[in-house]
């Protein structure tokens, strides 16, 4: 590769491409990066000249990538993730404790138990009596979003990943447990009455409530929706339960998260004719020979069958969704 091209492909240039693509316009990206739009446009042109390619379609009013631009974006994101991973590994080797640990939890995972684990983590003391210096970042992702955060380097540990496929190279995976999903409606919903299992035709006639898959780049997962059915899409499982309580639709909910509402009569569970099996979940982390002590602590907690069961089953005590 000519020296000018190598010099042009800096981390700042790759980050600039990522920001423009994510924001959808040069103006929005300039605001996020703290630059004026003209300076950002000039930087893009310099990069295009160095690479001798067009990265954006000038005929579009939006920041529309060309095929070459999309390839640079994909590879750039991978390189940025690798650079972050290298920096993290260097810090881990030096201190033994990660400077930062990012944990992703799916919507099926108990927020209450997650915060209990965080309390236990901060209660630790090292040999000198000081707490570990690792900064924890807790994120909520949905379905394929839990995998995406891990494989793109945005997370160190994902709890509640959906099982079924083969994990990517470099990913360690262990089972977390199974969760039964129940079909729920409000007591005054048209589907609440009756004893016979509901057919797909009966369900199709009513609006479904679905939680949006949070994946941005990986293929999103669609579960329990019928083709062509009217859908209300919400961001979290807590929001889905709220929508069901307000009779805004029908849908499947993890039984532990619906349990108290079912007992109190605020929701009604109906059997469905479609054959169903419990959903299987796991936890996964990136394979790393220099694994830090913070990640080791969390994996040690997840070794406990009691902890794994609680993460899927104990959903009382917190009402506000974790964003």
């Amino acid at each position: 590769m000519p020296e000018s091209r190598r010099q042009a492909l800096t981390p700042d240039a790759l980050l600039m491409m990522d920001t423009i693509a994510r924001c959808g316009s040069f103006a929005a990206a300039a605001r996020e990066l703290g630059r004026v739009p003209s300076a950002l446009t000039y930087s893009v042109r310099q990069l295009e000249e160095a690479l001798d390619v067009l990265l954006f379609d000038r005929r579009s009013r939006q920041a529309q990538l060309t095929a070459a631009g999309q390839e640079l974006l994909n590879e750039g994101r991978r390189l940025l993730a690798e650079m972050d991973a290298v920096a993290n590994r260097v810090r881990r080797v030096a201190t033994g404790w990660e400077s930062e640990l990012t944990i992703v939890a799916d919507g099926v995972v108990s927020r209450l138990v997650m915060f209990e684990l965080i309390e236990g983590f901060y209660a630790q003391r090292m040999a000198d009596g000081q707490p570990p210096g690792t900064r924890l970042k807790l994120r909520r992702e949905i379905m394929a979003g839990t995998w995406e955060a891990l494989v793109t380097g945005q997370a160190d540990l994902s709890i509640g990943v959906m099982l079924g496929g083969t994990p990517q190279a470099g990913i360690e995976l262990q089972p977390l447990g199974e969760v039964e999903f129940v079909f729920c409606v409000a007591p005054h919903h048209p589907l609440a009455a009756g004893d016979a299992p509901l057919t797909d035709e009966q369900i199709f006639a009513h609006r479904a409530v679905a939680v949006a898959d949070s994946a941005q780049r990986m293929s999103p997962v669609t579960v329990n929706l019928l083709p062509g059915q009217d859908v209300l899409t919400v961001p979290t499982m807590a929001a889905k339960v709220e929508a069901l309580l307000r009779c805004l639709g029908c849908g499947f909910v993890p039984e532990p998260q619906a349990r108290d509402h079912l007992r109190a009569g605020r929701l009604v569970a109906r059997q469905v004719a479609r054959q169903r099996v419990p959903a299987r979940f796991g936890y996964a982390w990136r394979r790393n020979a220099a694994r830090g002590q913070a990640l080791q602590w969390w994996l040690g907690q997840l070794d406990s069958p009691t902890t794994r069961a609680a993460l899927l089953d104990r959903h009382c005590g917190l009402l506000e969704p974790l964003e």
Side-chain angles (χ1 to χ4, degrees):
M1 177 187 293
E3 189 67 25
S4 61
R5 295 184 183 179
R6 184 178 293 110
Q7 291 175 347
L9 290 175
T10 64
D12 285 343
L14 299 176
L15 179 61
M16 175 185 68
M17 288 288 297
D18 180 79
T19 305
I20 295 172
R22 181 163 43 80
C23 292
S25 73
F26 282 77
R31 286 194 297 271
E32 181 168 321
L33 294 172
R35 302 173 64 180
V36 296
S38 59
L40 194 64
T41 301
Y42 178 72
S43 297
V44 170
R45 286 175 178 167
Q46 282 188 312
L47 182 58
E48 289 178 325
E49 289 174 4
L51 299 177
D52 195 23
V53 296
L54 280 178
L55 300 174
F56 291 93
D57 187 347
R58 297 298 193 273
R59 297 170 299 178
S60 174
R61 299 183 63 182
Q62 300 296 319
Q64 184 67 43
L65 288 164
T66 63
Q70 186 64 54
E71 180 66 16
L72 177 60
L73 176 67
N74 295 339
E75 289 300 309
R77 284 171 169 167
R78 182 185 62 80
L79 289 171
L80 288 172
E82 287 296 323
M83 284 188 280
D84 287 342
V86 169
N88 284 333
R89 285 196 293 271
V90 170
R91 287 195 294 269
R92 289 173 182 178
V93 170
T95 66
W97 288 90
E98 301 91 321
S99 63
E100 183 175 278
L101 187 76
T102 300
I103 302 171
V104 163
D106 185 80
V108 300
V109 174
S110 167
R111 300 186 300 276
L112 174 65
V113 178
M114 285 298 299
F115 280 112
E116 289 176 349
L117 289 170
I118 291 171
E119 288 176 339
F121 179 82
Y122 285 137
Q124 294 181 96
R125 289 297 180 267
M126 297 185 291
D128 58 2
Q130 297 298 314
T134 303
R135 297 188 300 272
L136 292 181
K137 290 183 66 177
L138 183 60
R139 291 176 44 177
R140 180 70 73 183
E141 299 288 347
I142 303 297
M143 291 184 283
T146 59
W147 278 117
E148 180 177 276
L150 191 65
V151 301
T152 59
Q154 299 176 62
D156 302 290
L157 173 65
S158 286
I159 304 175
V161 297
M162 297 180 68
L163 301 184
T166 302
Q168 297 191 24
I171 301 296
E172 297 280 357
L173 175 65
Q174 290 294 326
L176 185 65
E178 295 184 343
V179 176
E180 188 77 38
F181 278 65
V182 292
F183 185 82
C184 294
V185 293
H188 48 296
H189 190 280
L191 294 178
D195 297 321
L198 296 170
T199 65
D200 283 351
E201 289 75 15
Q202 291 174 297
I203 296 172
F204 178 83
H206 299 273
R207 181 189 307 111
V209 182
V211 181
D213 192 313
S214 62
Q216 299 296 313
R217 280 163 269 177
M218 295 179 65
S219 298
V221 176
T222 300
V223 180
N224 294 322
L225 290 179
L226 299 171
Q229 186 179 15
D230 183 23
V231 181
L232 167 63
T233 303
V234 295
T236 65
M237 188 60 71
K240 179 173 183 175
V241 172
E242 180 69 22
L244 296 177
L245 290 169
R246 293 176 180 272
C247 201
L248 297 177
C250 57
F252 290 89
V253 180
E255 187 279 331
Q257 297 186 44
R259 188 179 298 155
D260 288 347
H261 295 297
L262 293 171
R263 288 173 176 170
R266 294 185 292 267
L267 287 177
V268 174
R270 290 295 312 274
Q271 295 294 318
V272 295
R274 188 191 325 164
Q275 185 175 8
R276 297 185 49 77
V277 295
R280 298 169 55 243
F281 295 92
Y283 60 97
W285 65 98
R286 287 181 289 166
R287 187 181 299 121
N288 186 349
R291 183 190 303 170
Q293 295 188 51
L295 180 57
Q296 289 187 41
W297 185 90
W298 279 89
L299 293 178
Q301 301 303 306
L302 291 168
D303 275 340
S304 165
T306 301
T307 298
R308 295 196 300 270
L311 282 165
L312 295 177
D313 192 66
R314 289 180 52 209
H315 285 272
C316 59
L318 286 176
L319 298 179
E320 293 301 320
L322 174 66
E323 301 296 345

